[in-house]
Amino acid sequence: MLSRIKRSDAKLSLSGWLRVAALAVGLGIPAVVTWTLNRQYDQSLADAETRAGNTSRALGQHAARSFETIDTFLRAFASLVGSRANTIPPQALHAALHEQFVQSHLNNIMVIDRDGRAAVEAVAFPARPLNVSDREYFQALRDQPDIGLVVGSPIIGRLTGKLLLPVARRIDNADGSFAGLVQAMLDPETFQTVYGGIDNGPGATLNLWHADGTLLVRSPRMPEVIGRNYADSVNYREHVPARDEKPFWSRGVTDRVVRVIAYSFLDGYPLYVGAALSRADVLADWRRSALMQGAVAGGLTTVLVIALLLLAREIEQRQTADAQTSASETQLRLSEERLALALNSGSDGLWDWDLATGAIQFSDHWFGMLGYGSGEIEPHIRVWEDFVHPDDDERARRLMVEHVKGLTPTYECEYRMRRKIGGYVWTLARGKVVSRDETGRAMRIVGTHMDITRRKEAERQIAFMAMHDGLTGLANRALFREKLEQSLASARRQGDSFAILACDLDRFKAVNDTLGHPAGDALLRVIADRLRAVVCDEDTVARLGGDEFAVIVRGTDDRRSVSFFAQRVIEAVGQPVDLDGHTATVSVSIGIALGTRASPEADILFKHADTALYRAKALGRNGYSFYDPSVDAEVAKRSLLERDLRDAVSRGGFVLLYQPIVAMTDERVGGFEALLRWQHPTRGAISPAEFIPLAEETGLIIALGEWAIREACHEAASWQNDLHVAVNVSAVQFQQPGLEQVVLDALVASGLSPHRLELEITESMLMQDSEAAVASLHRLKGLGVRIALDDFGTGYSSLSYLRRFPFDKIKIDRSFIRDIGDPDTAAIVRAIVGIGARLGATVTAEGVETREQLEQVRQEGCTEVQGFLYSKPIPAPEALDYARAQRPSRKAA
C-alpha cells in the first residue's frame, strides 16, 4: 500500500514539473522572440541612419561641385564686367556668355542692369525684354554689397515658362556702387535626374534646400511644394541653424511621413542637401520577419504548452502508450527547433547538420537561393568546401569550430557562396547547436542562410563613394591619408621603405579656359587612367583635388628606382590627348619624399613631397625633384616672394620702362618696347627672370599683363602719331579667352590707333595650342594690331609658324647678335633676314651693344635695332624726350 502511494506521489511530482515547464515555455518563447525582434528593430533603424548619412554626404559633394562650377564663372564674369560695363560692346558680352552657356547644363545666363532689366543674355541677341527688379534675389544683391553668391527661390521663367533656379552674383562699378548682376538659370531637372537614379526605397526622399528653409528640389517630384519655405518647421529650427548633420527621426515637412533624415551643408554656399528614408520602408523587412516569427512563435508556444499539458494529463491518467508519445515528442521537438531558428534569424534557407553522421539537410528555398532545384545537390558536408568562396572559407570554418566547442552562444558569419550560373551570392549564415551528448560534444546543429547581396553591394558603393574621387575613381584625400598611415606604420614595423610622389599638372588651366570644364574633366580622367597603368597593385594613386595627384610607391630600395618610376609617370602624362577633335598636351611636375622607419609623421612627410614639388616647378616644370631639407628655405623664400608679388599687384607696385627701337635707314626712333619692372620695397629691383615665372605660375600674370597693355596704350597715346609701342604677352595671358577684349578695351580707353600697338609673342606660346593661338592672332590682326614674333630662332617650329601666320615683325634673339662675329651665326642671321624680306616682315635685331655689332647687322640687312648701344630701358617721360631729340642726321655714338 505504501509502495503504491509513493509511486503515485512520484507521478504527481512529474506532472507538476511538466506544468511548470508549460508555464516556462508559454512565457519564455515569447520573451526570447520579443528580445530578438527588439534587437533586429534597433539594428534596422541604425542601418537606416548610416545609409541616410552616407547618401546626404555624397549628394552634398555633388551639389557643392555643381554650384562651385557655376560660381567660378559668375565670379570671374562679374569681376571682368564690373569696371568696364559701359565700354565692353554688348556683342562681346553676348559672345562670352554664349561660349560659357554651350559648355554648361544651364538654361540661360544673363547680365541684368541696375534697374533689373535684361541687358545681355546667352541664348539670344539682342536680349529679350525682361525685368526682375521684383525678385527677391535681385533686391538682396542690390541692397547688400558683400552678400556673395545668391541662390534664389525656384521660379517660373518669364521667358521660358519652365521652373528654374536662379543663381546670381552682384556686379559692382569701379567705385563699388551697384551696377547690376550676372545670373545663371539652373534647371532643377539637373539635380532631379541625379536624385532619381538613387534607390533608397519607395518612401525615400532626396531634397535640395536653401539655407533659409526654402525647398528647391524634391525627389520624388512634388511640384506643389517646390519654392515653399519651411523655416517654421521643427526639423529646420532644431537642426539647420546649428548645421547638425547627425541623422534624426521626424515627420517629413511635405507629406508628414515618418523618416530618418540626414542633412549635409555646403561650405561657402547657402544650401544644404537632405536624404530621408521612410520608416515604413526601413522596417518593411523587419515587419515581415516579425509577422512570420510571431506566427511561428505563437504556434510553437501553443503546440508546446498543449503538448506538455497533454503529457502531464496522460501521465496522471497512467496511460501505457509511452513509446508512441516519446516518438511523437521527438519529431515535434525537431520541427520546433528548425522553426525557432528560422524565426530568430529571419532566414531565407534552412539547413540541418547531424555532426555524428555528417548528414545534412537543406530546405527548398536554400536550393533556390543558389539557383538549384530542390534535391539537385546531394546533401553532404562537402557542400561547404564546394560552394564557399576560398577567401571566406578559413574565417567561416573558424567561427563554426568556436561555436561547436561552446565558445560562442550562436554561429553567425557572412560569406559568399557560388551560384549555379556562376558568380557568388553574399549570405548571412546563422546556426546553433541544439544537441550535445553527455560529455558536452555537439551532436546536431541547425541554421539558416539569408541572401544579403543587395545590402553588401549598397555598402560597397557607399564605402567606395566615401573613399574615392567621383570624377576619376581614384582614391580621394581621405583614402590617400589612410594608405599613407599604413605605409608609414609598415615601414616602422618591418623596416621597409616607400616613396610619396606629389604630382601637379602643368598648363591644365589652359585646357579648362580654352576648351571648357567638360574637356578638362575628360583630360583628368585620361591622366588618371595613365597613372593607374604605371603603378603596381600594391601602390596607391589618388586625386587630391583639381589637377593635383599623389602616388604612394611601395617597396622602393633607392633613389634610382624612384627616379625611374617618376620618369615613367612624366612620359605617360606627356602623351597628347584627343579631346573631341582638339589635341591637348600637358606635362607634370613631381615632388618626391622617401618614407623609411625614421620618417616623421604622415602630414610632415607629405609636406616634404609638396615642398619638393615647388622645387620641381621652380626648375622649369615637367620634371621631378627629391626633398632636401635645404629646399625648405628656398620654398619659404619663394612663398614670401609670392606674397609680396600679390601685394604689389594689388597696390600697383610695378612700372613700365621703355627701350627705343631704332630704324636702320636713318637711325630715327620708330617706337619703344614696354618692359615690366618691379622695385621691391626692401630687396630693391627684382629681375623679371625671377618674378615673371612666379606670376605665370600663380596666375597673377593675367592682372599684370592687362595692366601693362592698358598703361602702355595710355602712355603711347601722348606720343607723336608715328611712334608705336610694343608689349610682351605671356603664354598664360595669351591662353585666356578675354585677351582680345582686354586689348580692345585698352585701345578704346586710351584712344590709341590699333596700328600703333604691337604685341610680341614667343614660339613657345604658339606650341601650346597652335590652332587656337593662330585663330586669336588673326582676330587681333583684324583689329589693326601689329603682331611680332619675339626671340626668333630659339624655339622648335619657327618656319612652320611663319608659313601659317603673316607676322608684321620678326625679332632676332640677342644670343645671335652677341655671337654675330662667328661666320655660322652671321649666316643664320642672314637667313632670318632673307625669310623676313620674303614675307614682307620687319626684322629687328635685339641686344645690339657695340658699334661692331651695329655694322654687322646693317650689313646683313636688318631693318631695326634695339639695345644698350642706343639706350637702356628708361621711364616714360625720358622716353618721350629721347624720341623728340632724335633727328634724321643723328648718328649713334
Side-chain angles (χ1 to χ4, degrees), residues 139-196:
Q139 297 168 3
L141 287 166
R142 180 192 62 194
D143 299 334
Q144 303 178 49
D146 299 324
I147 192 172
L149 183 74
V150 169
V151 180
S153 299
I155 59 174
I156 300 298
R158 293 173 178 171
L159 298 179
T160 63
K162 293 177 59 178
L163 183 67
L164 300 172
L165 189 63
V167 183
R169 266 194 174 274
R170 174 187 172 111
I171 301 176
D172 288 326
N173 291 313
D175 60 0
S177 61
F178 178 68
L181 56 91
V182 55
Q183 71 175 35
M185 305 304 289
L186 178 62
D187 190 346
E189 190 65 26
T190 302
F191 291 93
Q192 194 74 50
T193 301
V194 174
Y195 294 177

Side-chain angles (χ1 to χ4, degrees), residues 3 47 55 61 210 277 329 334 340 343 346 357 365 370 385 390 447 449 564 592 744 780 801 835 837 845 870 875:
S3 175
D47 290 345
T55 302
Q61 294 175 3
H210 194 281
L277 279 64
E329 289 175 349
L334 293 175
L343 174 66
T357 64
H365 201 80
L370 300 181
E385 301 173 354
H449 279 121
F564 177 75
I592 306 172
L744 182 60
L780 286 168
Y801 292 123
I835 293 172
Y870 287 94

